[in-house]
Amino acid sequence: AMASVLICGGGNAAQVCSCLFASRYRVTALALYADEAERWNKAVQETGFMECTLEPENKAIKATPDLITKDPRAVRDCDVVLFTVPSSYHEQYFSALAPYVKDGTVFAVMPARSGCDFLFNQVMGEKASKLGLVAFETLPWQCRFKEWGKTSVVKSTKETIGAAVVPPASKSATEVVLKLQGLLGVEPMIIQCPNVMSISLGNPGQVVHPGITYGRWWDWDGEPLAERPLFYHGVDEFSAGILSSISKEIQAICQKLKSINPSYDTSQVKTIFEWYMASYSHSCSDISTLQKVIVTNAAYNGFFHPMKVNEDSSYTPDFQFRYLSEDVPTGLCFTKGVADLLDVKTPTIDKVVTWSQEKLGKEFITLDGRMAGKDLGQTRAPQAWGIKTKKDLLEFLDLKPMLSPFVPIAKPQLQLQPLLPSWLPVCVGPSSCRLDESI
């Protein structure tokens, strides 16, 4: 049957999805903000369609959503719900849709950022087990609307996109992935991740956006600038080093989880360099270092630091932009919270969060470095959901500590026994056997 898709949001990605998907599927666009749905409807009526230009293919798609509304009851007729809103609005949309969603509906959140599963389970309650959740690591494209409600452009498409799938009881993970791949088309190819924690820790936004912002402005003297600095293409070796250090600390968390139970799969949590290679290798003219990858990525052409324009036309940084206001509380704070529960030290993350929260006028972590600040409730740290101990975290993840597979060999009692060759397996009990460690 033709998929019926509810697209949540009204920004860049929502405009692109509503046009592209409406050319092949039944699409309802849900915009809860103020009169956004009404204005969007009016814009479409003026032209009779929406148009999305795919720059790499030099191709334009024209289509019209079947319905544009602010009424969350529209979800009753949809089997896929696609979130394209910033993560700070996820709770609002989950809460609005929860009373009306039918069993078996799949929520695809792109990007999910970190801790999306904690939030989903909290809001949906008992319904959660009958619904599907797909947490995407990022958006499929670099895209922008040109004339809001009418035209948009896809500047580049990622090669692959990671997604963790928690299928509803009535479907398999494979069925869910195939349906979503049908929505996206051939590219990007969905790479299934083994668990939502892989998406939460592997969230590239938490590394790139706060890391580059900190790297550029940590020592800013407060003087306005005459020009807007480039965001990605302005990255220097210091900023790239911050990104690498954050990434290493995330890998240390993965190693700690593996040490608790080696079967817990964190293999899809890429380093930030590996993520760039998977997402943008075809767009970069120099892949010798992380810094070169970022500054030679053609998909990043024309992206500037978010700035405020002063009366004299000079510029000062806008620290309230989503690069800090979203990616710190719904990204780095989650990772820092997990690290605290697992007793993993994160000096670079601590430094970036401490600087960022001062710019945001918030307190996420305390002066002594604990994820317990007065604004903890505005974050997705596990502690904000009542997960206060390592035991609580492992129970939520259904992660059981694994005992050592080797049973200690008791000191043998002195007794006569046949002389055996040293290379034979040493057995302890009827079902435990290992090769002698000297081999």
Side-chain angles (χ1 to χ4, degrees):
M2 177 184 290
S4 179
V5 185
L6 182 75
I7 295 171
C8 297
N12 293 310
Q15 300 279 305
V16 168
C17 290
S18 296
C19 181
L20 293 184
F21 297 169
S23 67
R24 293 173 289 148
Y25 302 99
R26 294 200 313 272
V27 167
T28 298
L30 177 69
L32 296 179
Y33 178 72
D35 63 343
E36 195 169 60
E38 182 181 344
R39 290 186 293 111
W40 190 350
N41 258 318
K42 184 178 179 181
V44 172
Q45 289 169 7
E46 288 174 358
T47 55
F49 55 84
M50 295 181 71
E51 181 174 342
C52 181
T53 301
L54 308 177
E55 277 193 357
E57 293 88 351
N58 192 26
K59 178 181 179 182
I61 304 293
K62 294 181 179 180
T64 305
D66 295 270
L67 176 65
I68 302 172
T69 183
K70 67 178 301 181
D71 187 349
R73 289 176 295 183
V75 74
R76 292 169 171 167
D77 301 318
C78 300
D79 45 36
V80 175
V81 177
L82 184 65
F83 275 31
T84 62
V85 293
S87 55
S88 54
Y89 293 96
H90 287 173
E91 185 170 2
Q92 177 191 7
Y93 275 83
F94 278 140
S95 298
L97 296 171
Y100 310 111
V101 66
K102 63 185 178 183
D103 292 353
T105 301
V106 173
F107 284 79
V109 186
M110 57 171 62
R113 296 311 185 204
S114 304
C116 185
D117 50 340
F118 290 80
L119 174 61
F120 183 75
N121 284 313
Q122 178 82 12
V123 175
M124 294 299 172
E126 294 181 358
K127 280 189 173 184
S129 62
K130 299 176 182 178
L131 303 171
L133 175 66
V134 182
F136 282 92
E137 65 179 352
T138 185
L139 285 168
W141 322 279
Q142 286 284 351
C143 60
R144 290 285 184 271
F145 65 77
K146 293 167 67 178
E147 187 176 1
W148 188 84
K150 297 179 181 180
T151 59
S152 57
V153 59
V154 171
K155 303 185 78 64
S156 66
T157 301
K158 296 180 174 71
E159 298 171 26
T160 63
I161 182 171
V165 182
V166 182
S170 58
K171 296 182 177 68
S172 69
T174 301
E175 288 177 296
V176 173
V177 169
L178 288 175
K179 176 165 282 191
L180 294 174
Q181 190 70 70
L183 285 173
L184 295 179
V186 176
E187 283 191 336
M189 182 172 70
I190 298 174
I191 304 297
Q192 191 172 337
C193 296
N195 45 63
V196 181
M197 182 61 88
S198 294
I199 296 296
S200 294
L201 293 177
N203 165 13
Q206 69 173 333
V207 180
V208 176
H209 297 151
I212 292 178
T213 304
Y214 173 85
R216 175 62 179 81
W217 301 106
W218 72 277
D219 60 349
W220 178 51
D221 60 7
E223 289 297 314
L225 279 68
E227 296 181 349
R228 293 183 300 163
L230 290 167
F231 189 77
Y232 299 105
H233 286 179
V235 167
D236 57 14
E237 289 292 349
F238 175 78
S239 298
I242 294 294
L243 269 59
S244 292
S245 295
I246 294 173
S247 186
K248 287 177 182 176
E249 291 170 7
I250 293 170
Q251 290 298 314
I253 296 171
C254 294
Q255 291 164 12
K256 187 61 175 282
L257 289 168
K258 293 284 286 185
S259 73
I260 295 170
N261 189 324
S263 68
Y264 193 73
D265 192 348
T266 59
S267 62
Q268 291 300 314
V269 182
K270 307 175 187 72
T271 67
I272 195 60
F273 185 81
E274 290 169 342
W275 181 81
Y276 270 107
M277 289 297 93
S279 302
Y280 288 115
S281 61
H282 63 299
S283 301
C284 306
S285 59
D286 187 340
I287 60 172
S288 59
T289 67
L290 176 61
Q291 190 264 344
K292 295 296 184 185
V293 164
I294 297 173
V295 300
T296 67
N297 185 354
Y300 284 159
N301 289 340
F303 284 85
F304 296 91
H305 277 268
M307 307 294 286
K308 296 178 181 177
V309 183
N310 303 316
E311 290 183 1
D312 62 356
S313 297
S314 62
Y315 297 95
T316 50
D318 181 4
F319 294 127
Q320 300 303 316
F321 192 69
R322 63 180 177 86
Y323 290 169
L324 294 187
S325 63
E326 177 183 346
D327 288 305
V328 172
T330 67
L332 282 181
C333 285
F334 172 87
T335 299
K336 164 65 178 171
V338 172
D340 278 4
L341 295 172
L342 297 176
D343 196 25
V344 175
K345 303 303 179 186
T346 55
T348 304
I349 291 175
D350 292 3
K351 181 166 54 179
V352 173
V353 172
T354 299
W355 178 86
S356 299
Q357 68 182 16
E358 187 270 325
K359 299 303 179 188
L360 294 169
K362 303 290 184 181
E363 183 192 73
F364 303 133
I365 61 176
T366 57
L367 290 176
D368 59 354
R370 293 179 299 111
M371 184 50 66
K374 65 180 179 62
D375 296 309
L376 171 67
Q378 299 176 27
T379 77
R380 287 197 186 171
Q383 291 85 344
W385 308 114
I387 295 175
K388 304 294 187 182
T389 66
K390 176 181 174 181
K391 181 174 180 289
D392 293 340
L393 177 65
L394 299 186
E395 286 180 355
F396 180 86
L397 299 176
D398 195 25
L399 177 57
K400 297 176 176 60
M402 181 174 286
L403 299 176
S404 169
F406 301 117
V407 179
I409 301 174
K411 185 175 181 179
Q413 299 296 316
L414 183 62
Q415 55 181 314
L416 295 176
Q417 42 183 312
L419 186 63
L420 299 175
S422 62
W423 52 264
L424 281 179
V426 177
C427 298
V428 184
S431 60
S432 176
C433 195
R434 66 173 176 81
L435 287 177
D436 190 286
E437 291 176 352
S438 65
I439 301 301

